[in-house]
Amino acid sequence: MAHADSATPSWQQFEDSRTGMLKKLAEPVLNCVKNKDDIAADSPIFHGCYDWHSAVHGHYALYATYLATHDKKYLDAAEKQMQPAGDPGVVARELKYMQDGSIGEYTADTPYGMAWLLEMERAREQATGTRTTRPLADEAVKQIKSWLADGNAEQNLFYDMHSNLSWTLQTLAGWAQYTGDNALLSSVREDVSKYLKTDEADQQCAEVLPGELSGELEPKSDITENGFLAPCLMRLAAVAKAGGPGTAEWVSRRLPKDVSVSLLTDPRSAHSAGLNFSRANALWEIYQVTRDSAVRDGFVKLVTAEVARPQDWDTTSDYLNSHWIAQFGIRAIDQTFAHAEQGHGR
C-alpha cells in the first residue's frame, strides 16, 4: 500500500471544520440508510446500507451528526426508519429478528454488528432523550457476552476484520461506562487483562504496530492488507477505553517514542479503504489516556486527509465503499465532541 504524509492542520483548525466534515460524510449515509438492500431486507429497521451491521452504524452516524450539527434532517432520516409512523411494534419485531437467527452468521453481525448497535443506542438516546430502543441494546450485550463465553476471544485478538476482539471489548466498555454498569465494566477489564495485556500480544505487536502507524500494512504475522482494522492499534485503544489503574502508563510504554502516522493512499480493497478512518478511531482512544500530542496530530492528519479523499467513501465511489466508510469517519469525529457522559440508566 502506498502511503503519504500531508500537512497536518492544527487542532483549532480541526475543531473549526469538523461539523462541515460531518455534513460531507453524512451524505452517503443519507443515501443508503433508506434502502432495502438484499442481505438484510427482512430486518424491520436495519435494512439499508448493504447489510444489517452497516445499517446499524448508518443509523448511528445520522444520530451522531445530528448531535453535532443540530440539523434535524439527520435525526428525521434515522427516526423515519427507527420509528415509522403507524408502526408501534417495529422495535419488538426487530428484537425478534435479532433473537431468532434471521441475521445469519455469515454477515459477521455477532459480535461486530451487536457492538455497533450499542454505539447506535447511545447516540439515539442522547439525540432523542428516549430509551424506546434500549431492549435492542440489552439483547446486543447478551449476544456479545455469549460470543465471548463461547471461546471466541483469543482467536480473534489479531483478526483485522469484523470479529476483532479489541473492537468488541472497546465498545462494550464504552457501553458499560455510558450506562453506569460497573459489573459489566469489571467483566470487560478482566477480559482485557486476560487476552490483551499478555506477553505474547506485546511480542506480536512490537513487530506490527510500527507498520500500522506508518501505513506500511504489508502482511506480517496475522495482519493482512485486506482488513479494515489495525489490530495492534485497536488493542491499545481497547485497553485505553476500558481504563483502570495504570492504564495511561501501560499504553504509553507500548507506543514508539516519536509517534508518526501516515496516510494510506492506495488501498487494495474496499475494506482497506477504511483503514485511515478506523486507525483514527483507535488513535483518539489512545490520546484520551496518553495526552500525547503526536497521537492527536496523527488523528487529525488521518481524518482531515481522508475526508479530502471522497473517492474512497462518497456516493460516486463503488457501493462496496460508500455504504460504510463514511460512518467510520463520522465516528472518529463524533468522539471529539463532549456529548452527555451518562445514559438514562439500565
Side-chain angles (χ1 to χ4, degrees):
M1 291 184 186
H3 67 284
D5 288 320
S6 57
T8 302
S10 69
W11 177 251
Q12 186 61 57
Q13 288 172 320
F14 171 79
E15 283 192 311
D16 292 343
S17 61
R18 60 186 175 174
T19 55
M21 289 191 284
L22 283 172
K23 290 178 180 180
K24 288 180 181 179
L25 292 167
E27 287 307 307
V29 187
L30 288 169
N31 184 66
C32 74
V33 78
K34 65 180 183 292
N35 292 349
K36 204 171 189 69
D37 290 337
D38 290 344
I39 291 178
D42 294 332
S43 167
I45 298 174
F46 303 114
H47 46 66
C49 300
Y50 192 81
D51 50 23
W52 189 84
H53 59 258
S54 299
V56 171
H57 55 68
H59 281 74
Y60 154 79
L62 294 179
Y63 290 122
T65 304
Y66 166 73
L67 285 167
T69 65
H70 308 294
D71 187 333
K72 273 188 92 269
K73 76 177 180 181
Y74 304 112
L75 177 63
D76 291 345
E79 286 293 282
K80 184 176 181 180
Q81 306 299 320
M82 190 70 70
Q83 300 285 354
D87 190 0
V90 68
V91 175
R93 295 203 311 280
E94 186 66 39
L95 180 62
K96 183 176 185 298
Y97 181 82
M98 292 172 65
Q99 292 172 331
D100 67 10
S102 298
I103 292 174
E105 292 182 5
Y106 76 98
T107 58
D109 289 310
T110 302
Y112 179 76
M114 299 300 166
W116 267 111
L117 196 140
L118 302 181
E119 294 285 284
M120 186 283 300
E121 180 62 20
R122 184 268 303 165
R124 182 175 187 269
E125 291 184 9
Q126 291 172 329
T128 66
T130 69
R131 292 191 296 160
T132 55
T133 46
R134 180 67 75 93
L136 304 182
D138 292 339
E139 177 63 22
V141 171
K142 180 180 177 181
Q143 292 199 27
I144 293 170
K145 284 182 174 180
S146 178
W147 181 84
L148 290 166
D150 286 345
N152 291 291
E154 196 164 15
Q155 64 183 325
N156 285 290
L157 174 56
F158 293 105
Y159 190 47
D160 61 357
M161 297 276 279
H162 305 83
S163 299
N164 177 270
L165 174 63
S166 297
W167 159 252
T168 304
L169 293 177
Q170 175 188 328
T171 311
L172 199 58
W175 180 252
Q177 291 158 356
Y178 171 71
T179 58
D181 189 338
N182 292 327
L184 178 59
L185 183 58
S186 178
S187 176
V188 171
R189 286 176 175 171
E190 288 177 8
D191 283 338
V192 164
S193 294
K194 182 177 181 180
Y195 298 112
L196 274 57
K197 291 183 169 183
T198 66
D199 291 341
E200 180 184 356
D202 278 342
Q203 292 167 8
Q204 188 96 312
C205 287
E207 177 188 3
V208 172
L209 184 61
E212 292 185 354
L213 291 167
S214 70
E216 294 288 357
L217 286 163
E218 296 299 335
K220 294 177 180 176
S221 182
D222 295 327
I223 312 301
T224 77
E225 74 271 23
N226 294 316
F228 59 92
L229 297 173
C232 291
L233 274 174
M234 289 301 305
R235 172 187 176 233
L236 296 184
V239 174
K241 187 66 175 181
T247 295
E249 181 184 0
W250 190 95
V251 174
S252 294
R253 285 204 313 268
R254 284 155 181 83
L255 288 172
K257 290 183 178 179
D258 298 305
V259 175
S260 179
V261 181
S262 297
L263 183 75
L264 293 173
T265 59
D266 186 24
R268 297 179 180 177
S269 69
H271 276 149
S272 59
L275 275 164
N276 288 321
F277 281 147
S278 75
R279 288 188 297 149
N281 273 280
L283 287 171
W284 185 257
E285 294 292 1
I286 294 166
Y287 170 69
Q288 290 303 289
V289 299
T290 65
R291 312 312 290 184
D292 185 333
S293 60
V295 174
R296 189 177 70 175
D297 287 347
F299 165 87
V300 171
K301 176 188 290 186
L302 291 180
V303 171
T304 55
E306 186 60 27
V307 170
R309 290 175 51 82
Q311 66 269 26
D312 285 344
W313 52 262
D314 76 357
T315 53
T316 65
S317 65
D318 192 289
Y319 195 50
L320 288 176
N321 291 47
S322 68
H323 81 269
W324 72 279
I325 293 177
Q327 285 94 307
F328 271 64
I330 288 172
R331 184 176 184 272
I333 297 170
D334 176 43
Q335 289 175 291
T336 70
F337 286 90
H339 301 314
E341 292 293 327
Q342 186 64 24
H344 298 273
R346 282 177 280 168

mmCIF file of all heavy atoms in Angstrom, residues 140-162:
data_model
loop_
_atom_site.group_PDB
_atom_site.id
_atom_site.type_symbol
_atom_site.label_atom_id
_atom_site.label_comp_id
_atom_site.label_asym_id
_atom_site.label_seq_id
_atom_site.Cartn_x
_atom_site.Cartn_y
_atom_site.Cartn_z
ATOM 1 N N ALA A 140 -28.130 -7.001 22.453
ATOM 2 C CA ALA A 140 -26.781 -6.964 21.883
ATOM 3 C C ALA A 140 -25.736 -7.326 22.934
ATOM 4 O O ALA A 140 -24.804 -8.092 22.667
ATOM 5 C CB ALA A 140 -26.497 -5.589 21.298
ATOM 6 N N VAL A 141 -25.878 -6.785 24.133
ATOM 7 C CA VAL A 141 -24.950 -7.123 25.218
ATOM 8 C C VAL A 141 -25.008 -8.614 25.507
ATOM 9 O O VAL A 141 -23.968 -9.279 25.668
ATOM 10 C CB VAL A 141 -25.273 -6.315 26.488
ATOM 11 C CG1 VAL A 141 -24.461 -6.821 27.673
ATOM 12 C CG2 VAL A 141 -25.001 -4.833 26.268
ATOM 13 N N LYS A 142 -26.194 -9.155 25.555
ATOM 14 C CA LYS A 142 -26.372 -10.583 25.825
ATOM 15 C C LYS A 142 -25.652 -11.427 24.779
ATOM 16 O O LYS A 142 -24.954 -12.397 25.108
ATOM 17 C CB LYS A 142 -27.870 -10.912 25.852
ATOM 18 C CG LYS A 142 -28.191 -12.373 26.116
ATOM 19 C CD LYS A 142 -29.706 -12.599 26.113
ATOM 20 C CE LYS A 142 -30.055 -14.071 26.308
ATOM 21 N NZ LYS A 142 -31.530 -14.280 26.272
ATOM 22 N N GLN A 143 -25.793 -11.056 23.510
ATOM 23 C CA GLN A 143 -25.174 -11.845 22.442
ATOM 24 C C GLN A 143 -23.651 -11.691 22.432
ATOM 25 O O GLN A 143 -22.930 -12.649 22.137
ATOM 26 C CB GLN A 143 -25.779 -11.465 21.094
ATOM 27 C CG GLN A 143 -27.240 -11.885 20.965
ATOM 28 C CD GLN A 143 -27.725 -11.938 19.533
ATOM 29 O OE1 GLN A 143 -26.945 -12.152 18.605
ATOM 30 N NE2 GLN A 143 -29.028 -11.758 19.341
ATOM 31 N N ILE A 144 -23.160 -10.509 22.750
ATOM 32 C CA ILE A 144 -21.707 -10.316 22.826
ATOM 33 C C ILE A 144 -21.131 -11.152 23.965
ATOM 34 O O ILE A 144 -20.099 -11.818 23.812
ATOM 35 C CB ILE A 144 -21.355 -8.833 23.011
ATOM 36 C CG1 ILE A 144 -21.719 -8.038 21.759
ATOM 37 C CG2 ILE A 144 -19.863 -8.662 23.316
ATOM 38 C CD1 ILE A 144 -21.633 -6.537 21.932
ATOM 39 N N LYS A 145 -21.790 -11.141 25.109
ATOM 40 C CA LYS A 145 -21.332 -11.950 26.243
ATOM 41 C C LYS A 145 -21.304 -13.426 25.883
ATOM 42 O O LYS A 145 -20.367 -14.156 26.243
ATOM 43 C CB LYS A 145 -22.255 -11.729 27.450
ATOM 44 C CG LYS A 145 -22.054 -10.410 28.180
ATOM 45 C CD LYS A 145 -23.002 -10.356 29.369
ATOM 46 C CE LYS A 145 -22.774 -9.158 30.248
ATOM 47 N NZ LYS A 145 -23.713 -9.127 31.399
ATOM 48 N N SER A 146 -22.322 -13.877 25.173
ATOM 49 C CA SER A 146 -22.383 -15.283 24.759
ATOM 50 C C SER A 146 -21.239 -15.604 23.800
ATOM 51 O O SER A 146 -20.614 -16.668 23.899
ATOM 52 C CB SER A 146 -23.738 -15.567 24.097
ATOM 53 O OG SER A 146 -23.805 -16.893 23.642
ATOM 54 N N TRP A 147 -20.954 -14.693 22.890
ATOM 55 C CA TRP A 147 -19.847 -14.872 21.941
ATOM 56 C C TRP A 147 -18.510 -14.998 22.684
ATOM 57 O O TRP A 147 -17.699 -15.866 22.381
ATOM 58 C CB TRP A 147 -19.828 -13.704 20.976
ATOM 59 C CG TRP A 147 -18.768 -13.740 19.927
ATOM 60 C CD1 TRP A 147 -18.827 -14.403 18.726
ATOM 61 C CD2 TRP A 147 -17.491 -13.088 19.957
ATOM 62 N NE1 TRP A 147 -17.667 -14.194 18.013
ATOM 63 C CE2 TRP A 147 -16.833 -13.395 18.732
ATOM 64 C CE3 TRP A 147 -16.846 -12.277 20.871
ATOM 65 C CZ2 TRP A 147 -15.561 -12.912 18.426
ATOM 66 C CZ3 TRP A 147 -15.576 -11.789 20.575
ATOM 67 C CH2 TRP A 147 -14.951 -12.107 19.372
ATOM 68 N N LEU A 148 -18.304 -14.151 23.668
ATOM 69 C CA LEU A 148 -17.081 -14.218 24.457
ATOM 70 C C LEU A 148 -17.010 -15.521 25.248
ATOM 71 O O LEU A 148 -15.957 -16.159 25.330
ATOM 72 C CB LEU A 148 -17.010 -13.017 25.412
ATOM 73 C CG LEU A 148 -16.766 -11.654 24.765
ATOM 74 C CD1 LEU A 148 -17.051 -10.527 25.759
ATOM 75 C CD2 LEU A 148 -15.333 -11.549 24.233
ATOM 76 N N ALA A 149 -18.130 -15.933 25.827
ATOM 77 C CA ALA A 149 -18.163 -17.153 26.640
ATOM 78 C C ALA A 149 -17.946 -18.412 25.809
ATOM 79 O O ALA A 149 -17.506 -19.437 26.336
ATOM 80 C CB ALA A 149 -19.495 -17.245 27.383
ATOM 81 N N ASP A 150 -18.221 -18.327 24.513
ATOM 82 C CA ASP A 150 -18.081 -19.492 23.634
ATOM 83 C C ASP A 150 -16.656 -19.706 23.145
ATOM 84 O O ASP A 150 -16.419 -20.527 22.256
ATOM 85 C CB ASP A 150 -19.016 -19.351 22.426
ATOM 86 C CG ASP A 150 -20.474 -19.603 22.796
ATOM 87 O OD1 ASP A 150 -20.725 -20.148 23.882
ATOM 88 O OD2 ASP A 150 -21.362 -19.235 22.002
ATOM 89 N N GLY A 151 -15.700 -18.962 23.704
ATOM 90 C CA GLY A 151 -14.295 -19.179 23.386
ATOM 91 C C GLY A 151 -13.794 -18.473 22.144
ATOM 92 O O GLY A 151 -12.793 -18.897 21.540
ATOM 93 N N ASN A 152 -14.458 -17.390 21.752
ATOM 94 C CA ASN A 152 -14.064 -16.677 20.537
ATOM 95 C C ASN A 152 -12.996 -15.614 20.761
ATOM 96 O O ASN A 152 -12.479 -15.048 19.799
ATOM 97 C CB ASN A 152 -15.287 -16.004 19.913
ATOM 98 C CG ASN A 152 -16.263 -17.002 19.330
ATOM 99 O OD1 ASN A 152 -15.964 -17.648 18.326
ATOM 100 N ND2 ASN A 152 -17.419 -17.148 19.954
ATOM 101 N N ALA A 153 -12.683 -15.317 22.026
ATOM 102 C CA ALA A 153 -11.846 -14.155 22.320
ATOM 103 C C ALA A 153 -10.434 -14.292 21.774
ATOM 104 O O ALA A 153 -9.983 -13.488 20.946
ATOM 105 C CB ALA A 153 -11.817 -13.904 23.830
ATOM 106 N N GLU A 154 -9.717 -15.300 22.221
ATOM 107 C CA GLU A 154 -8.296 -15.399 21.920
ATOM 108 C C GLU A 154 -8.010 -15.501 20.424
ATOM 109 O O GLU A 154 -7.074 -14.888 19.905
ATOM 110 C CB GLU A 154 -7.695 -16.600 22.645
ATOM 111 C CG GLU A 154 -6.186 -16.576 22.724
ATOM 112 C CD GLU A 154 -5.667 -17.556 23.760
ATOM 113 O OE1 GLU A 154 -6.438 -18.433 24.194
ATOM 114 O OE2 GLU A 154 -4.495 -17.437 24.130
ATOM 115 N N GLN A 155 -8.845 -16.245 19.715
ATOM 116 C CA GLN A 155 -8.589 -16.463 18.293
ATOM 117 C C GLN A 155 -8.862 -15.225 17.455
ATOM 118 O O GLN A 155 -8.474 -15.159 16.273
ATOM 119 C CB GLN A 155 -9.437 -17.622 17.777
ATOM 120 C CG GLN A 155 -10.938 -17.377 17.842
ATOM 121 C CD GLN A 155 -11.745 -18.572 17.392
ATOM 122 O OE1 GLN A 155 -11.324 -19.300 16.489
ATOM 123 N NE2 GLN A 155 -12.883 -18.800 18.017
ATOM 124 N N ASN A 156 -9.510 -14.224 18.022
ATOM 125 C CA ASN A 156 -9.844 -13.023 17.268
ATOM 126 C C ASN A 156 -9.067 -11.786 17.709
ATOM 127 O O ASN A 156 -9.366 -10.677 17.273
ATOM 128 C CB ASN A 156 -11.350 -12.743 17.372
ATOM 129 C CG ASN A 156 -12.162 -13.691 16.509
ATOM 130 O OD1 ASN A 156 -12.144 -13.618 15.297
ATOM 131 N ND2 ASN A 156 -12.863 -14.612 17.165
ATOM 132 N N LEU A 157 -8.055 -11.966 18.534
ATOM 133 C CA LEU A 157 -7.267 -10.825 19.005
ATOM 134 C C LEU A 157 -6.561 -10.120 17.853
ATOM 135 O O LEU A 157 -6.536 -8.902 17.779
ATOM 136 C CB LEU A 157 -6.247 -11.285 20.045
ATOM 137 C CG LEU A 157 -5.246 -10.226 20.518
ATOM 138 C CD1 LEU A 157 -5.947 -8.994 21.065
ATOM 139 C CD2 LEU A 157 -4.313 -10.811 21.566
ATOM 140 N N PHE A 158 -5.987 -10.882 16.922
ATOM 141 C CA PHE A 158 -5.227 -10.288 15.828
ATOM 142 C C PHE A 158 -5.969 -10.348 14.495
ATOM 143 O O PHE A 158 -5.373 -10.195 13.439
ATOM 144 C CB PHE A 158 -3.858 -10.963 15.705
ATOM 145 C CG PHE A 158 -2.983 -10.682 16.888
ATOM 146 C CD1 PHE A 158 -2.757 -11.649 17.839
ATOM 147 C CD2 PHE A 158 -2.417 -9.431 17.064
ATOM 148 C CE1 PHE A 158 -1.964 -11.385 18.944
ATOM 149 C CE2 PHE A 158 -1.631 -9.146 18.162
ATOM 150 C CZ PHE A 158 -1.394 -10.132 19.113
ATOM 151 N N TYR A 159 -7.273 -10.547 14.559
ATOM 152 C CA TYR A 159 -8.083 -10.548 13.342
ATOM 153 C C TYR A 159 -8.338 -9.102 12.925
ATOM 154 O O TYR A 159 -8.671 -8.252 13.763
ATOM 155 C CB TYR A 159 -9.394 -11.283 13.604
ATOM 156 C CG TYR A 159 -10.222 -11.556 12.378
ATOM 157 C CD1 TYR A 159 -9.644 -12.084 11.224
ATOM 158 C CD2 TYR A 159 -11.585 -11.320 12.382
ATOM 159 C CE1 TYR A 159 -10.418 -12.358 10.106
ATOM 160 C CE2 TYR A 159 -12.365 -11.598 11.270
ATOM 161 C CZ TYR A 159 -11.772 -12.098 10.130
ATOM 162 O OH TYR A 159 -12.546 -12.361 9.021
ATOM 163 N N ASP A 160 -8.198 -8.806 11.631
ATOM 164 C CA ASP A 160 -8.314 -7.420 11.177
ATOM 165 C C ASP A 160 -9.659 -7.105 10.536
ATOM 166 O O ASP A 160 -9.807 -6.114 9.830
ATOM 167 C CB ASP A 160 -7.179 -7.080 10.205
ATOM 168 C CG ASP A 160 -7.188 -7.952 8.961
ATOM 169 O OD1 ASP A 160 -8.030 -8.864 8.874
ATOM 170 O OD2 ASP A 160 -6.339 -7.719 8.078
ATOM 171 N N MET A 161 -10.658 -7.950 10.837
ATOM 172 C CA MET A 161 -11.986 -7.742 10.258
ATOM 173 C C MET A 161 -13.025 -7.674 11.384
ATOM 174 O O MET A 161 -12.708 -7.366 12.524
ATOM 175 C CB MET A 161 -12.284 -8.858 9.271
ATOM 176 C CG MET A 161 -11.335 -8.891 8.067
ATOM 177 S SD MET A 161 -11.826 -7.771 6.747
ATOM 178 C CE MET A 161 -13.074 -8.776 5.956
ATOM 179 N N HIS A 162 -14.255 -8.012 11.050
ATOM 180 C CA HIS A 162 -15.407 -7.742 11.903
ATOM 181 C C HIS A 162 -15.292 -8.309 13.317
ATOM 182 O O HIS A 162 -15.679 -7.636 14.281
ATOM 183 C CB HIS A 162 -16.675 -8.306 11.250
ATOM 184 C CG HIS A 162 -16.913 -7.805 9.869
ATOM 185 N ND1 HIS A 162 -16.298 -8.364 8.762
ATOM 186 C CD2 HIS A 162 -17.695 -6.803 9.400
ATOM 187 C CE1 HIS A 162 -16.691 -7.721 7.679
ATOM 188 N NE2 HIS A 162 -17.542 -6.772 8.035
#
